[in-house]
Amino acid sequence: MKSLWNEAEAVQMASDMEQRVYSSRLLGGVPELVLHGGGNTSVKITQPNLYGEDETLLYVKGSGHDLATIDADGFAPLRLAPVLRLAELEALSDEEMANQLRVNLTRADAPDPSVEAILHALIPHKFVDHTHSDAILAVTNTPGGVDHIREIYGDSVVIVPYAMPGFELARTCAQILPGAMTDQTRSVVLMQHGLFTFGDTARESYGRMIDLVTLAEDYLASQKAWTISLPDMPMPAAELR
Ligand code: ZN
């Protein structure tokens, strides 16, 4: 997979939010990473609140927005601390999770935050990218998928077993990630779902996404499982019309 990062364009994007928008669009324009409306990204920004106190906000993609065309208004500004506390709960209905995310917004007219917002909160890095990459799904959705992921990435990724997206997945990640992530961790792979990459900069997180997906593509190619060569068949007359 080719990186679409263009440093000449990227340097024009001065703020963290502009960087967030820039690389989100790069990810969103590639159907092998996200289909229309799929995937989500975030950035954590510390800024003064109404009372002049520093507060860290998680700007996460709003539901209904497409990464390919998203702009700053498409990100929902969430107070990070109360969102992280949600992950400590034993159980929470998906309806109440959506409600709690809504009431922890700092802007009343913001879009509903992605249902994967808590996962973005749990990853401590500033920039977080999440895709449902075809290559990752092809590897994880096979028998022995965990072994294949380990063969490709070694210990540089944390593997999370499948859980239903929503609070169940957030809770699973809350139990696994804090003890499993190290300074060497480059990604969190969600079995039968996709992957997260992250970094201190938009470029670092995006670059990791491209690098890790490329490794999965190369692995699949080495197993003769990435391209399918069909035999030459005469086209039926009906399809030539
Ligand atoms: Zn997802």
Side-chain angles (χ1 to χ4, degrees), residues 38-40 116 119 130-132 165 169 190 193-196:
N40 40 65
E116 288 168 334
L119 308 186
H130 172 52
T131 72
H132 306 138
L169 177 57
L190 308 177
H193 180 149
L195 78 163
F196 282 88

Side-chain angles (χ1 to χ4, degrees), residues 112-204:
D112 287 331
S114 161
V115 296
E116 288 168 334
I118 296 176
L119 308 186
H120 285 261
L122 286 167
I123 294 172
H125 301 71
K126 186 174 182 72
F127 288 87
V128 179
D129 296 339
H130 172 52
T131 72
H132 306 138
S133 148
D134 288 349
I136 296 294
L137 286 170
V139 175
T140 61
N141 294 14
T142 53
V146 168
D147 295 335
H148 293 306
I149 291 291
R150 281 280 171 246
E151 199 177 332
I152 299 169
Y153 302 119
D155 291 332
S156 70
V157 304
V158 171
I159 298 174
V160 175
Y162 182 79
M164 184 80 91
F167 189 73
E168 191 185 321
L169 177 57
R171 179 77 186 140
T172 303
C173 286
Q175 287 170 327
I176 293 175
L177 298 189
M181 286 182 76
T182 70
D183 291 346
Q184 269 66 54
T185 303
R186 294 196 298 160
S187 171
V188 173
V189 174
L190 308 177
M191 295 304 291
Q192 292 93 33
H193 180 149
L195 78 163
F196 282 88
T197 57
F198 30 78
D200 295 335
T201 64
R203 183 176 189 168
E204 182 177 32

Side-chain angles (χ1 to χ4, degrees), residues 37-89:
N40 40 65
T41 58
S42 67
V43 59
K44 299 176 187 75
I45 299 175
T46 301
Q47 58 193 67
N49 64 13
L50 199 59
Y51 310 101
E53 302 150 352
D54 275 351
E55 188 171 50
T56 301
L57 300 185
L58 171 72
Y59 288 86
V60 66
K61 192 194 88 165
S63 289
H65 286 262
D66 185 28
L67 285 180
T69 54
I70 200 164
D71 56 27
D73 287 344
F75 288 87
L78 283 166
R79 294 184 182 88
L80 179 62
V83 171
L84 273 175
R85 281 200 72 190
L86 292 176
E88 296 170 14
L89 294 169

